[in-house]
Amino acid sequence: MKTAIVVVAAFVIDLLIADPYWLPHPVRFFGRVIVFLEKVIRRFARRPFALRLGGVFLAALLPAGVFWVTKVGLAALARWHQVLGLAVEVYLVAATLALKGLAAAAAGVQRPLIAGNLPLARERVAAIVGRDTASLDAQGVVRAAVESVAENTVDAVVAPLFYAFIGGAPLALAYRAVNTLDSMVGYRNERYRYLGWASAKLDDLANFLPARLAGGLFVLAAVLLGGDWRRVWRTIRRDGHKHPSPNSGISEAAVAGFLGVRLGGPATYQGVPSFRSYLGDPLGELHPEHIAAAVRLLYVVAGIALLVGVGLRALVAFGVGK
């Protein structure tokens, strides 16, 4: 049950203090390593095939390196000082979670919308989405924020918990390394079409199971919140596959079904217009309160995920002990 205790402690720490900027954060380190490795790869790789090989090297090296450095380092630290080793592992798992930070960022978008300060809302939502936000109207800002909360419920909460319960801090950090790779180089634009291909595919693979488990968690959360869980389930089944990502569509469809709104549609990325299939039914217009409702759903999904993980670890421990 040590792993379960570590994950629960990390979850509580994330709820209490989130990610103070003054503390060293692994994801910032991953970002620096990715920038360095990209420069090295581009120095030797020019053609598409060479860039693809370099991308495979990048996607394999960083997560594997993070996993083994963390595993060996924690083992050595625990041998030297068991309590300190445990504390560092708790901190590292907490660093893979972003529950409070995600909720706070979403609330930071909602507040200026309610106050009628659309320019500030656009500025704040730009920090959590990849699309262009300068010309978004109020409903567009709400949609962007809700879609971000939905997608990151998996990326920043469910998936890190999933891997932490399976393999502790080493596996959870390896997942975050994969996620960071995808967010930095996993684009289909001219610059990263070849170099980022492997990172994008690896992120799809890493999120495949967590995203589908999250679909069930969203349904359970809707039950607990008194929402229309049947509509959530129907929307996941009908629309979950329509998103360009094989995983993000599940969580976005679930949130759309819970809120009774339609997500997806037109957006602009770096000046290039794009259109994503609609998810959900427009039973009502998007408004700022939908952001708060998405955050409440986020917290309930996170709590259920934590309880399920603890329960399964207890079953494993009981079975092994027996």
Side-chain angles (χ1 to χ4, degrees):
M1 289 296 292
K2 176 200 167 188
T3 299
I5 294 170
V6 166
V7 177
V8 170
F11 188 90
V12 172
I13 288 174
D14 180 66
L15 281 179
L16 293 176
I17 65 172
D19 296 317
Y21 190 78
W22 50 270
L23 278 176
H25 198 286
V27 172
R28 289 197 288 270
F29 172 73
F30 298 160
R32 295 189 188 100
V33 173
I34 291 167
V35 170
F36 170 76
L37 290 176
E38 180 183 349
K39 290 179 180 178
V40 172
I41 292 169
R42 290 189 182 278
R43 188 176 301 169
F44 297 99
R46 306 280 183 179
R47 298 181 180 276
F49 180 72
L51 285 170
R52 280 187 182 270
L53 285 180
V56 171
F57 169 78
L58 177 63
L61 178 66
L62 183 63
V66 167
F67 177 84
W68 286 110
V69 167
T70 305
K71 191 174 182 66
V72 172
L74 286 174
L77 190 59
R79 285 195 296 269
W80 178 63
H81 195 291
Q82 192 170 6
V83 174
L84 181 59
L86 187 64
V88 170
E89 184 169 11
V90 169
Y91 165 70
L92 290 176
V93 173
T96 68
L97 300 170
L99 174 56
K100 184 176 181 180
L102 176 58
V109 175
Q110 182 187 14
R111 285 192 295 271
L113 279 175
I114 293 174
N117 190 341
L118 182 57
L120 181 57
R122 288 170 175 164
E123 179 183 329
R124 288 183 175 177
V125 81
I128 60 173
V129 298
R131 73 195 66 181
D132 300 340
T133 64
S135 61
L136 291 180
D137 59 13
Q139 287 192 14
V141 171
V142 172
R143 182 191 130 203
V146 168
E147 288 176 353
S148 179
V149 171
E151 181 178 357
N152 284 294
T153 299
V154 177
D155 290 355
V157 181
V158 175
L161 286 174
F162 175 80
Y163 287 108
F165 275 118
I166 293 175
L171 195 57
L173 281 171
Y175 166 76
R176 289 299 288 171
V178 171
N179 200 237
T180 307
L181 278 166
D182 181 61
S183 68
M184 291 185 66
V185 305
Y187 299 102
R188 296 178 183 177
N189 57 26
E190 188 64 30
R191 179 175 177 82
Y192 291 114
R193 178 176 298 137
Y194 304 109
L195 182 66
W197 172 83
S199 294
K201 293 298 181 183
L202 183 59
D203 184 73
D204 288 343
L205 182 62
N207 278 308
F208 186 85
L209 279 178
R212 281 144 187 83
L213 291 171
L217 299 178
F218 276 112
V219 174
L220 289 174
V223 173
L224 293 177
L225 287 170
D228 189 341
W229 66 268
R230 292 181 180 86
R231 188 174 66 210
V232 172
W233 176 240
R234 285 197 306 268
T235 309
I236 292 173
R237 293 190 64 186
R238 188 192 69 192
D239 298 340
H241 65 282
K242 295 179 180 178
H243 196 281
S245 164
N247 303 312
S248 298
I250 296 173
S251 56
E252 290 190 23
V255 173
F258 178 78
L259 298 177
V261 299
R262 188 172 67 180
L263 301 177
T268 304
Y269 296 86
Q270 297 178 345
V272 179
S274 175
F275 184 88
R276 292 183 177 179
S277 297
Y278 288 116
L279 310 175
D281 299 308
L283 304 179
E285 291 188 350
L286 285 161
H287 56 81
E289 177 55 32
H290 283 129
I291 298 176
V295 169
R296 286 194 294 271
L297 188 62
L298 160 71
Y299 273 112
V300 176
V301 167
I304 298 172
L306 182 70
L307 291 175
V308 170
V310 171
L312 290 176
R313 289 297 304 193
L315 286 175
V316 170
F318 177 78
V320 172
K322 186 175 180 180

